């Protein structure tokens, strides 16, 4: 057993030395690969969604929007997620130009504020307390879920 452990430790130490000696090259290669994969994923999504803004039709400054933000799997950018995850979310995605995306996001924020401010103060306080305690770890919900 000790021979195996020594061999394992020696291999780990050799890997550490190799990394320390070559870390700039390895990190640059890793960054390059990650950048290439992000562009491939972004281009796949854009091409799959028709390569134009679904509201105004422009092909400039395209951004990916979740149709129902409550169905997002998590908060990470899709470009860093697995291909399977991207494909599973395609039905909830649309392309918007930056201007249309900004307009839609602002409308969503305004609508959220409208519903929040019209809740009884007890409900508002309950929601604020949850956010204070749990922050972004709160589960997603949509108005349809509230009746269930």
């Amino acid at each position: 057993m000790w021979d195996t452990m020594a061999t394992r430790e020696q291999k780990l130490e050799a890997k550490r030395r190799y990394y320390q000696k070559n870390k700039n090259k390895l990190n640059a290669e890793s960054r390059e690969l990650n950048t290439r994969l992000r562009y491939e994923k972004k281009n796949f999504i854009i091409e799959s969604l028709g390569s134009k803004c679904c509201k105004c039709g422009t092909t400039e400054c395209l951004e990916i929007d979740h149709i129902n933000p409550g169905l997002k799997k998590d908060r990470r950018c899709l470009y860093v997620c697995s291909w399977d995850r991207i494909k599973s979310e395609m039905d909830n995605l649309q392309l918007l130009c930056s201007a249309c995306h900004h307009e839609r996001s602002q409308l969503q924020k305004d609508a959220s504020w409208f519903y929040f401010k019209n809740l009884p103060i007890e409900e508002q306080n309950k929601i604020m307390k949850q956010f204070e305690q749990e922050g972004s770890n709160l589960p997603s919900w949509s108005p349809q879920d509230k009746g269930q």
Side-chain angles (χ1 to χ4, degrees):
M1 178 177 161
W2 290 105
D3 290 339
T4 306
M5 186 63 99
T7 304
R8 183 172 171 248
E9 288 300 321
Q10 289 170 345
K11 287 179 182 178
L12 286 173
E13 184 56 36
K15 286 182 179 182
R16 285 186 199 105
R17 282 194 308 270
Y18 179 82
Y19 175 77
Q20 287 301 321
K21 184 178 177 183
N22 298 290
K23 69 181 175 182
N24 289 339
K25 177 184 173 191
L26 293 170
N27 287 338
E29 289 171 355
S30 179
R31 276 192 303 275
E32 184 179 314
L33 175 64
N34 288 336
T35 299
R36 189 171 39 102
L37 283 172
R38 281 193 304 273
Y39 279 108
E40 284 177 16
K41 290 173 182 178
K42 180 180 180 180
N43 289 335
F44 169 81
I45 295 169
I46 289 173
E47 289 174 16
S48 297
L49 295 175
S51 302
K52 64 180 180 179
C53 176
C54 66
K55 187 171 179 189
C56 72
T58 187
T59 58
E60 301 295 318
C61 302
L62 296 175
E63 299 177 358
I64 297 162
D65 177 55
H66 283 82
I67 298 166
N68 182 346
L71 297 178
K72 285 183 187 180
K73 304 281 191 278
D74 62 39
R75 298 177 65 105
R76 291 182 302 157
C77 176
L78 277 174
Y79 311 148
V80 300
C81 296
S82 71
W83 284 102
D84 289 339
R85 160 98 190 288
I86 290 170
K87 290 173 184 174
S88 74
E89 288 205 28
M90 289 301 291
D91 289 340
N92 189 36
L93 300 177
Q94 64 184 355
L95 279 181
L96 294 172
C97 67
S98 59
C100 291
H101 194 198
H102 177 76
E103 180 183 331
R104 177 176 158 78
S105 295
Q106 190 59 52
L107 287 171
Q108 288 172 322
K109 289 175 189 171
D110 292 345
S112 296
W113 173 244
F114 174 80
Y115 284 108
F116 178 79
K117 74 178 183 171
N118 288 303
L119 289 172
I121 192 68
E122 297 81 20
E123 283 291 314
Q124 290 182 19
N125 288 337
K126 182 179 172 185
I127 291 170
M128 289 187 295
K129 186 174 182 177
Q130 284 179 302
F131 268 88
E132 185 177 74
Q133 292 172 349
E134 302 175 37
S136 62
N137 294 325
L138 285 170
S140 298
W141 68 274
S142 62
Q144 312 79 291
D145 299 334
K146 192 171 181 181
Q148 297 175 349

